[in-house]
Every structure is written in C-alpha cells, then in structure tokens.
Amino acid sequence: TFFLSRKVQASMPAVRDRVVAAVTKDLNGKVQIGSASFGWFAPIVLQDVVVTDKDQKPVATVSRIASQRSLLGLAMDHQRLGTFRIEQPQLSLFLRTDGSNLEDVIAPFMKTESSGSRTEIAVEVVGGQVELRSDASDTVCTIRELEASFKQPLEATGVQEGNFSARVAVNDKPELG
C-alpha cells in the first residue's frame, strides 16, 4: 500500500530529464521541466516547462500544467484523458510565409498517421500571452490575458468545442479588444 499511496516528486533531474527526453524524442526542439509530481491517486503536475526550437530559442514557457485525472486513472483508460489546465503559458511565435517556429517544433507529430481512434481530452488555458512576429514586417502583435478552452469528445461524430478571449495590442499600442 505504501507504493500505491505515495506521491512522487520527480525532482531528481536525471530521472525527470530521462522521462521528458523519451516522451518528447520526436520534437524538433527540446522540452525542459523545472519540477514534476505524480502519484497513483493524484493529478500529474508539471511546473516551469520550457520548449525551445532546434536552435535553442524559446518557443513556449508554461508556469504550470496539471491533469484532472490521476496516473492510475490515465493508465486504466488512456482514451479518456480528462482536462489539462495550462497556467500562464507564454508563446513566442515567429511567422513565415511557409509556416512558423511552432510548426517546425511539432512537425513530426503532425506527420503521424491516425489509427482512426480518437482520444477524449479537454484543455483549459489560463492567463496566457502570445507574442507574434513576422519575417514580412516589423509589426509585433501581442495577445494578452488569453483564456481558452478546447474539448474533443471520444466519439468521432462528437462536436469539438472551443472558445477563447484575449486582449490584442500591436507594437505596444492600446489593445484592440
């Protein structure tokens, strides 16, 4: 019972980094996690997550990511992942005519063929910020106070739902709305 009830702090960098490297091995970049905790009966919590591109330039930083479901719950039903809450994400996106730095990082995941089965998942984003730059102009667009949610049902005929709100500023001028 000690093993089943114990909550694990994956603060040992060697263990944590090995797990992160295995899970994210297909990325065209790197993911670093400041701390992680998980337990059979507790939610998974990741803190201080940093995603960099292949040139080690930051693409995303996230203060905290927490699952709704426990490790045991996810292991028993991996098609129903539940809700993941992403707190204070900051994206730094560079847009080109042929894509973006974010698309470059996740490109290998986009190429995988679907088996036809779906995964039920919900994502909540709280307190996000996105900085958009373009190779076509010097304009910087900043999206602040981003709040978003997305839900994908397990059934293929189910409707995907999503909504978001944010404040947008261009070149540090007053927000557009």
Side-chain angles (χ1 to χ4, degrees):
T1 61
F2 174 75
F3 177 71
L4 288 177
S5 63
R6 183 171 167 88
K7 183 177 179 183
V8 176
Q9 255 334 93
S11 58
M12 296 187 333
V15 173
R16 181 190 62 232
D17 293 347
R18 185 173 291 175
V19 170
V20 170
V23 171
T24 62
K25 70 181 185 314
D26 291 332
L27 279 181
N28 285 332
K30 185 175 181 182
V31 176
Q32 294 177 304
I33 297 175
S35 67
S37 66
F38 50 91
W40 288 112
F41 301 105
I44 297 168
V45 178
L46 308 176
Q47 295 194 76
D48 302 322
V49 179
V50 178
V51 179
T52 55
D53 63 16
K54 65 181 178 179
D55 298 324
Q56 298 189 16
K57 293 180 182 174
V59 176
T61 61
V62 179
S63 176
R64 184 173 187 267
I65 302 172
S67 69
Q68 172 192 22
R69 299 187 63 209
S70 69
L71 189 58
L72 181 62
L74 291 169
M76 292 184 68
D77 187 355
H78 61 274
Q79 284 189 295
R80 289 182 170 82
L81 299 181
T83 301
F84 286 83
R85 182 177 169 96
I86 302 172
E87 298 175 4
Q88 299 174 334
Q90 294 187 7
L91 297 175
S92 181
L93 302 181
F94 185 76
L95 308 176
R96 307 178 309 266
T97 55
D98 66 340
S100 71
N101 60 338
L102 179 61
E103 289 172 303
D104 295 343
V105 170
I106 64 171
F109 290 107
M110 305 308 286
K111 292 179 183 176
T112 59
E113 292 185 28
S114 174
S115 63
S117 64
R118 288 180 53 151
T119 302
E120 183 177 283
I121 187 170
V123 176
E124 295 177 355
V125 176
V126 179
Q129 179 170 310
V130 180
E131 183 176 278
L132 298 167
R133 296 180 181 273
S134 170
D135 65 353
S137 76
D138 293 334
T139 302
V140 177
C141 179
T142 305
I143 301 170
R144 295 185 178 100
E145 300 174 30
L146 176 65
E147 308 286 325
S149 65
F150 170 80
K151 183 175 183 180
Q152 174 177 282
L154 185 61
E155 303 82 28
T157 59
V159 176
Q160 293 180 353
E161 300 175 20
N163 62 59
F164 74 94
S165 65
R167 299 183 71 74
V168 179
V170 177
N171 289 344
D172 287 328
K173 293 199 166 107
E175 277 96 13
L176 301 174

